[in-house]
């Protein structure tokens, strides 16, 4: 038996998120089908982060235990032959049997992309949030500067949640302009549901003086709107 670490890229537009669900097209479902076609036996599929419907990934990580089939150096090519065009395994490597995509992860990094110009884009309709209004970039950066550290992110996750602990430790967060685009990047040990998207929506809507108290565990109603999923990318997982 061999434990494989898969680095996966996908366009989340046509998927109902990562996690397998009856009657829904999911990334996990597509990967399970490809694994079944590629390896005589496989088990223990795990993923670093269960992305929501419409969310993309450029550096998602999965682990799986396999027997038979192609060697690790050829497994990515073999899996891609059985995957749909909107999912690709970028790398595949044999790792220690103790490796687990979720529990071995020390941090995850996300990127949210905002198209900030008066005209919408035909090519980015499901790749970025179109924000035609002017943006105060100094306020955006001031908000982002408040995020690193340990905070109570209750205001940035739905009130109907299974989370019991709302403290999260953010290692880095910041905004950067690239031409017509604004990129928000954030790295943390773990994230609450919709946390990154609600941080983005709140920073676009609120000045820093109103944003700051939200990091003290305020009610969800005090934060801004949740930004749509199609601007969000799971970019990197640190082990």
């Amino acid at each position: 038996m061999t434990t494989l670490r898969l680095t996966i890229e996908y366009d989340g537009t046509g998927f109902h998120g990562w996690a397998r669900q009856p009657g829904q097209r999911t990334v996990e479902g597509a990967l399970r089908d490809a694994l079944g076609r590629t390896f005589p036996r496989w088990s223990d599929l795990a993923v670093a982060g269960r992305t929501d419907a419409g969310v993309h990934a450029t550096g998602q990580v999965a682990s799986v235990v396999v027997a038979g089939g192609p060697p690790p150096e050829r497994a990515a090519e073999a899996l891609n032959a059985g995957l749909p065009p909107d999912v690709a395994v970028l790398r595949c490597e044999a790792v220690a049997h103790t490796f687990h995509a979720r529990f071995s992860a020390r941090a995850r990094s996300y990127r949210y992309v905002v198209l900030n110009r008066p005209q919408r884009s035909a090519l980015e309709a499901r790749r970025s949030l179109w924000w035609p209004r002017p943006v105060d970039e100094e306020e955006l950066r001031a908000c982002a500067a408040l995020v690193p550290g340990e905070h109570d992110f209750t205001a940035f996750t739905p009130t109907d949640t299974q989370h019991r602990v709302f403290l999260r430790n953010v290692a880095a967060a910041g905004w950067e302009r690239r031409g017509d685009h604004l990129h928000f990047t954030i790295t943390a040990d773990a994230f609450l549901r919709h946390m990154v998207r609600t941080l983005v929506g709140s920073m676009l809507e609120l000045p820093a003086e109103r944003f700051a108290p939200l990091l003290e565990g305020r009610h969800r109603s005090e934060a801004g709107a949740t930004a749509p999923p199609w601007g969000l990318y799971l970019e990197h997982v640190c082990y």
Side-chain angles (χ1 to χ4, degrees):
M1 304 293 282
T2 303
T3 300
L4 299 178
R5 170 177 165 173
L6 310 177
T7 302
I8 306 169
E9 175 184 84
Y10 51 84
D11 177 346
T13 303
F15 292 102
H16 200 75
W18 167 272
R20 183 176 52 164
Q21 302 173 56
Q24 300 288 352
R25 184 173 186 257
T26 67
V27 182
E28 182 184 8
L31 182 58
R32 283 176 170 270
D33 288 345
L35 286 167
R37 296 189 188 101
T38 306
F39 297 99
R41 288 186 293 155
W42 65 271
S43 63
D44 300 329
L45 177 63
V47 70
R50 293 188 173 188
T51 50
D52 291 333
V55 175
H56 316 295
T58 58
Q60 176 71 279
V61 175
S63 57
V64 64
V65 178
V66 302
E73 61 270 20
R74 292 179 47 211
E77 180 181 1
L79 286 167
N80 285 335
L83 285 168
D86 43 2
V87 188
V89 176
L90 303 182
R91 289 182 298 280
C92 178
E93 55 191 311
V95 292
H97 291 300
T98 55
F99 179 81
H100 189 282
R102 178 185 175 191
F103 298 126
S104 299
R106 293 189 288 113
R108 298 156 179 83
S109 297
Y110 284 86
R111 179 179 300 271
Y112 197 96
V113 181
V114 178
L115 176 63
N116 181 220
R117 72 183 190 193
Q119 299 80 21
R120 64 178 177 86
S121 170
L123 300 179
E124 295 187 34
R126 291 296 180 265
R127 297 289 189 281
S128 61
L129 166 63
W130 176 43
W131 192 265
R133 304 195 293 276
V135 170
D136 188 330
E137 294 182 42
E138 289 189 8
E139 285 290 339
L140 280 183
R141 294 190 179 97
C143 288
L146 298 168
V147 176
E150 186 176 72
H151 303 286
D152 185 331
F153 288 93
T154 301
F156 302 98
T157 194
T159 53
D160 182 15
T161 179
Q162 296 180 349
H163 291 293
R164 295 184 178 181
V165 178
F166 298 90
L167 290 175
R168 293 294 185 272
N169 192 351
V170 175
W175 285 93
E176 176 188 9
R177 177 170 285 279
R178 298 184 181 180
D180 289 333
H181 294 86
L182 290 164
H183 289 237
F184 175 68
T185 54
I186 183 170
T187 300
D189 57 351
F191 291 86
L192 300 170
R193 185 169 179 242
H194 295 176
M195 176 176 154
V196 180
R197 291 163 53 195
T198 309
L199 281 168
V200 169
S202 299
M203 286 187 276
L204 287 170
E205 295 176 11
L206 304 174
E209 62 180 13
R210 291 181 57 194
F211 179 84
L214 300 174
L215 297 168
E216 301 171 358
R218 298 296 181 88
H219 192 270
R220 172 66 185 88
S221 61
E222 297 185 39
T226 300
W230 51 80
L232 184 61
Y233 299 75
L234 174 55
E235 193 167 56
H236 180 69
V237 184
C238 180
Y239 292 95

